[in-house]
């Protein structure tokens, strides 16, 4: 008695289906991994861009505050000479002068730290700091000549230091102008790069969509081929 011949058709079909499912799964996994990497890179880039813009705006605000406090420092110096005959007013305005001077120095330290972290040239800051230090020394030397009992003393001291605030004033104004221009330029550049990156990512998504659709159609084609082979007469 002859044994029946094993039917290999279903086994072959199962193998083909498993192979098809496996290939499609591998393709989808690879696409998913690559897409995740692209999304991560885009998020990192956007985060870095936002941080840089934030730091630049902070630097502009810091420079502007230093500019304001420097002008207040100079004004307090003038008030010392104008009202210094009164001991209380002298102490009030000279204390305010020192406080404003300290605030300016602190802001300059912060500004230089910010710019250094962003790899922005700090020479303008260094120039202002040097001019500001010299201004403070010359003001303190001049105030030693101030005689509270002499009404004309304030004018004499003022003549000694007249115009010495022009150099630091020009320097701090240059810093503010530079930071505003650099920030505007950087923001425009970041916007251009962002638009380009968004366009590339949009094309990438479109390409991925086409790739997935192609994979599905290919899988459907192979499935139909397998089914057709199953139905064909032996």
């Amino acid at each position: 008695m002859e044994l029946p011949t094993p039917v290999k058709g279903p086994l072959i079909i199962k193998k083909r289906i498993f192979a098809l499912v496996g290939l499609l799964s591998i393709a989808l996994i690879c696409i998913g991994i690559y897409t995740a990497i692209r999304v991560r890179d885009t998020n990192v880039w956007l985060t870095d861009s936002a941080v840089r813009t934030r730091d630049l705006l902070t630097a502009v605000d810091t420079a502007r505050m230093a500019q304001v406090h420097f002008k207040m420092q100079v004004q307090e110096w003038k008030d010392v000479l104008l009202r210094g005959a009164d001991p209380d007013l002298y102490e009030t305005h000279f204390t305010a002068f020192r406080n404003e001077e300290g605030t300016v120095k602190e802001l300059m330290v912060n500004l230089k730290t910010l710019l250094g972290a962003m790899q922005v040239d700090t020479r303008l800051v260094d120039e202002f700091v040097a001019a500001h230090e010299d201004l403070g020394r010359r003001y303190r030397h001049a105030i030693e000549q101030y005689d509270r009992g002499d009404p004309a003393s304030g004018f004499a001291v003022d003549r000694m230091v007249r115009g010495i605030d022009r150099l630091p004033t020009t320097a701090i104004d240059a810093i503010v102008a530079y930071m505003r221009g650099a920030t505007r330029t950087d923001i425009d550049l970041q916007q251009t790069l962002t638009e380009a990156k968004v366009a590339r990512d949009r094309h990438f998504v479109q390409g991925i969509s086409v790739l997935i659709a192609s994979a599905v159609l290919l899988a459907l084609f192979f499935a139909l081929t397998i089914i057709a082979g199953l139905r064909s007469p032996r």
Side-chain angles (χ1 to χ4, degrees):
M1 180 177 180
E2 294 183 359
L3 295 174
T5 303
V7 179
K8 297 183 178 180
L11 181 59
I12 294 174
I13 291 173
K14 286 182 179 180
K15 288 182 178 180
R16 290 179 179 177
I17 292 175
F18 284 141
L20 178 61
V21 171
L23 289 174
L24 185 58
S25 298
I26 292 173
L28 291 176
I29 289 172
C30 291
I31 291 172
I33 292 174
Y34 185 67
T35 302
I37 292 173
R38 285 292 297 265
V39 170
R40 182 203 62 188
D41 291 344
T42 297
N43 288 337
V44 169
W45 187 88
L46 290 174
T47 299
D48 291 344
S49 177
V51 169
R52 180 175 176 82
T53 299
R54 180 203 64 194
D55 289 345
L56 281 169
L57 292 174
T58 300
V60 171
D61 289 341
T62 302
R64 187 71 184 91
M65 285 191 293
Q67 184 185 45
V68 171
H69 283 284
F70 174 68
K71 291 180 179 180
M72 292 172 65
Q73 176 191 352
V74 173
Q75 183 58 52
E76 291 297 342
W77 166 259
K78 293 177 180 178
D79 288 341
V80 168
L81 300 183
L82 287 173
R83 302 179 175 88
D86 184 321
D88 291 336
L89 291 178
Y90 176 91
E91 186 61 31
T92 296
H93 290 298
F94 197 70
T95 298
F97 165 81
R98 289 196 300 265
N99 290 340
E100 295 297 340
E101 181 183 49
T103 300
V104 172
K105 290 181 178 180
E106 181 180 353
L107 289 169
M108 283 296 105
V109 170
N110 294 341
L111 180 59
K112 186 169 183 177
T113 300
L114 278 170
L115 297 182
M118 292 184 290
Q119 298 182 338
V120 176
D121 192 353
T122 60
R123 282 179 294 180
L124 288 176
V125 175
D126 294 335
E127 290 174 5
F128 171 77
V129 169
H132 186 242
E133 288 286 349
D134 182 63
L135 180 81
R137 285 192 297 268
R138 295 174 69 176
Y139 274 166
R140 283 172 172 78
H141 175 72
I143 203 65
E144 294 175 357
Q145 316 304 317
Y146 182 66
D147 182 1
R148 298 178 188 175
D150 182 2
S153 181
F155 297 102
V157 172
D158 181 62
R159 284 194 297 271
M160 292 175 59
V161 294
R162 184 173 298 169
I164 68 170
D165 61 314
R166 291 174 186 168
L167 180 59
T169 297
T170 300
I172 192 65
D173 290 347
I175 291 173
V176 173
Y178 172 77
M179 288 308 308
R180 284 176 173 170
T183 300
R184 182 71 266 167
T185 299
D186 193 86
I187 289 176
D188 290 343
L189 176 61
Q190 293 299 324
Q191 181 177 357
T192 300
L193 293 175
T194 299
E195 291 173 353
K197 192 166 187 62
V198 168
R200 288 196 301 270
D201 288 345
R202 182 171 61 249
H203 295 154
F204 169 74
V205 170
Q206 292 171 348
I208 289 296
S209 300
V210 171
L211 187 60
I212 292 175
S214 299
V216 171
L217 290 175
L218 186 61
L220 181 60
F221 171 76
F222 279 117
L224 292 175
T225 301
I226 292 171
I227 293 173
L230 180 63
R231 291 178 177 177
S232 62
R234 300 292 179 182

